[in-house]
Amino acid sequence: MNALKPSIAQAEIERLAAFLHDAETGIREVEKITDELPALTHDDAYAIQNAILERKLKAGARLAGRKMGLTSPAKMKQMGVEDPIHGFLTADGCVADGAVVQMAGLIHPKVEAEIAFTTTRELAGPDCSAATAMAAIGHVSAAIEVIDSRYRNFRFDLVSVIADNTSAARYVIGADAVRPDGLDLRTLGVVLEKNGDVLATGAGAAVLGHPAASLAALVNMLAAQGKTLPSGTLVMTGGVTEAFAVQPGDSVRVTVQGVGSAAMRFA
């Protein structure tokens, strides 16, 4: 059951989904969709995002997981929102730990440090708690997300970025995956390095106070669309650090205390 209630017709949802999907595949910037349609709602935006996913699946892509966005208090304040947002991950966006990402396939990428989970049981909302989510975490990994908004100069509002699948582009999951037993995910130290220099540091608490709270929030937002989070789902919990631009030749590494690291290089 789809509990979304878009304010626009399905044909318009499909048109906007095609517009954003074509911008991604064509590697070109476009103006944010609310410039044309300022009255678009959050439900419209998620309907467009879902239509983009359907386009990708029909073209042979595989849904690989989910991702959270705007999970830090600073980002929420900047965007004037009280709740995070979510998007999807496809298998073709995954880059092997330590591998090279071709800049030619991206518009204006930025990287951010994340903590990723893999779940061991189905989670359902609308009242999923952080404790319930924590009990469903099978493994914890260091991760890097490459965000690459299709909007010109990264200029967007909340509705536009939701529709654009929260700027999802590429991601790396560290080769090391550890059980959460004995880890205090809230106090885990996270370091983001570029070319051997530390760009930013943070802790798990930067993600909604606790990364498990981010997982619970995702479950509850999916419930609003009539969806659950299946067992075995990969979840990127949101940026621990701010996002930093990268250029060809840059090497990026994220290290999560007690968990491991993830790395990638741009060419």
Side-chain angles (χ1 to χ4, degrees), residues 2 6-17 47-48 50-51 54:
N2 188 343
S7 69
I8 56 176
Q10 187 61 34
E12 187 74 334
I13 290 169
E14 295 295 341
R15 180 183 73 84
L16 294 168
I48 295 164
N50 289 339
E54 287 304 313

Side-chain angles (χ1 to χ4, degrees), residues 5-6 38 50 70 76 100 108 110 118-119 134 139 152 174 177 179 197-198 216 219 249 261 267:
K5 296 180 180 179
N50 289 339
L70 300 182
M76 284 191 219
V100 174
H108 40 206
K110 298 181 180 182
T118 303
T119 62
M134 184 72 197
H139 292 95
R152 196 175 310 282
R179 295 280 304 164
D197 297 325
V198 175
V219 171
S261 63

Side-chain angles (χ1 to χ4, degrees), residues 39-168:
L40 288 174
T41 67
H42 287 190
D43 277 11
D44 294 333
Y46 279 114
I48 295 164
Q49 183 191 117
N50 289 339
I52 292 173
L53 175 58
E54 287 304 313
R55 283 177 170 270
K56 288 178 176 287
L57 296 177
K58 287 178 181 178
R62 181 176 64 83
L63 180 64
R66 298 283 178 176
K67 57 159 292 190
M68 290 288 282
L70 300 182
T71 50
S72 75
K75 285 187 177 181
M76 284 191 219
K77 183 176 180 180
Q78 181 183 27
M79 294 296 292
V81 299
E82 296 181 356
D83 297 305
I85 59 177
H86 65 91
F88 61 83
L89 302 169
T90 52
D92 56 356
C94 184
V95 179
D97 190 10
V100 174
V101 174
Q102 297 297 327
M103 293 285 288
L106 300 165
I107 302 168
H108 40 206
K110 298 181 180 182
V111 296
E112 57 187 28
E114 300 213 13
I115 296 170
F117 297 147
T118 303
T119 62
T120 58
R121 68 186 73 168
E122 182 183 44
L123 288 168
D127 300 312
C128 181
S129 67
T132 298
M134 184 72 197
I137 297 169
H139 292 95
V140 183
S141 303
I144 304 169
E145 182 176 15
V146 181
I147 56 173
D148 190 35
S149 172
R150 271 54 70 172
Y151 298 122
R152 196 175 310 282
N153 299 321
F154 261 90
R155 175 180 166 265
F156 52 72
D157 52 28
L158 190 64
V159 166
S160 293
V161 73
I162 291 171
D164 189 35
N165 192 29
T166 66
S167 305

